Amino acid sequence: MQFYNASDFIFKKLTSELPKTLYYHGSAHTRDVFSVAGFLAEKEKINPYLTQLILTAASYHDSGFLNCYAGHEEASCHIAEEYLPSFNYTKEEIELICGMIRATRIPQSPQTPLEQIIADADLDYLGRDDYFTISNQLFKELLHTGLINDETEWERLQISFIESHQYFTKTSIRLREDKKQSNLEKIKARINKSAL
């Protein structure tokens, strides 16, 4: 498989063709997930061949946004199925990649170690210092698409989302869980303050 060419191809496509109103689901998010997935694969001791499959899935996991918003995971699989054969990926490899792409669907329920890595990479930011910067981009995007109406609704949505979220890999649990809980407490404090 021509991993570098396949990833380079989709990154160029995402950078030039994704709508500019995808403030969160733009190419920067895909690059972030790609980077974290590589880090997690190394920490979880995944072999180089499977790591390339994980990174391919990371590259293609949100490519469906090129065609639609709702159901973008399935659209991402269609794009992977359309383009990856030309980069010498086998049917079996593409099936594994699509399994990983589908594992990013909310609510997440990854079934394999590879799917757990991509699921954790996709929501890594929940347990990071840049959480509020990144979540603000998602707030802007959902506001623009009409999926939420205001900041209060957004913050309540974030509380229920983070409370129900779990990391799956040992690495993410160790490195991200405490900060995720700290971020959650900050959101709750903001809501309580605005309710006074």
Side-chain angles (χ1 to χ4, degrees):
M1 64 182 169
Q2 299 164 10
F3 160 67
Y4 294 103
N5 291 345
S7 295
D8 191 48
F9 164 80
I10 200 65
F11 274 120
K12 283 180 178 162
K13 199 167 175 57
L14 294 173
T15 303
S16 64
E17 295 178 29
L18 278 175
K20 299 298 174 226
T21 50
L22 290 176
Y23 304 110
Y24 170 81
H25 287 107
S27 59
H29 166 70
T30 300
R31 288 183 191 285
D32 183 53
V33 173
F34 183 92
S35 170
V36 174
F39 171 79
L40 290 176
E42 183 186 341
K43 293 295 180 191
E44 298 287 315
K45 301 191 174 10
I46 304 296
N47 72 48
Y49 166 70
L50 291 177
T51 296
Q52 287 196 339
L53 292 183
I54 291 169
L55 292 174
T56 305
S59 304
Y60 282 77
H61 87 282
D62 275 349
S63 60
F65 279 106
L66 291 163
N67 299 328
C68 63
Y69 202 91
H72 68 270
E73 296 92 355
E74 216 43 55
S76 298
C77 284
H78 294 316
I79 288 171
E81 289 163 351
E82 180 183 351
Y83 292 111
L84 290 179
S86 61
F87 296 106
N88 296 333
Y89 283 73
T90 66
K91 189 170 182 288
E92 292 72 26
E93 287 167 343
I94 294 168
E95 280 174 12
L96 281 173
I97 287 163
C98 283
M100 287 184 263
I101 290 171
R102 290 185 182 106
T104 65
R105 187 185 296 131
I106 306 297
Q108 295 179 329
S109 57
Q111 303 300 308
T112 68
L114 303 188
E115 291 177 8
Q116 289 179 348
I117 285 172
I118 197 92
D120 282 357
D122 194 32
L123 295 176
D124 183 66
Y125 80 99
L126 295 177
R128 292 194 326 223
D129 290 335
D130 59 355
Y131 163 75
F132 288 97
T133 303
I134 292 174
S135 72
N136 193 49
Q137 294 167 336
L138 183 54
F139 168 62
K140 264 176 69 178
E141 181 177 308
L142 295 180
L143 206 57
H144 176 80
T145 55
L147 291 170
I148 55 167
N149 297 307
D150 56 41
E151 199 162 353
T152 305
E153 182 185 355
W154 165 246
E155 295 206 320
R156 292 191 191 287
L157 185 70
Q158 283 299 277
I159 289 171
S160 67
F161 182 72
I162 295 172
E163 283 180 339
S164 65
H165 170 266
Q166 69 173 99
Y167 286 117
F168 300 96
T169 62
K170 286 179 182 170
T171 306
S172 290
I173 292 166
R174 181 169 53 83
L175 295 179
R176 298 290 182 241
E177 190 59 38
D178 287 350
K179 185 65 182 178
K180 182 182 82 172
Q181 294 306 324
S182 161
N183 289 336
L184 175 62
E185 291 311 311
K186 284 179 186 167
I187 303 168
K188 286 181 174 177
R190 285 203 316 213
I191 281 210
N192 291 336
K193 195 173 177 185
S194 67
L196 295 174

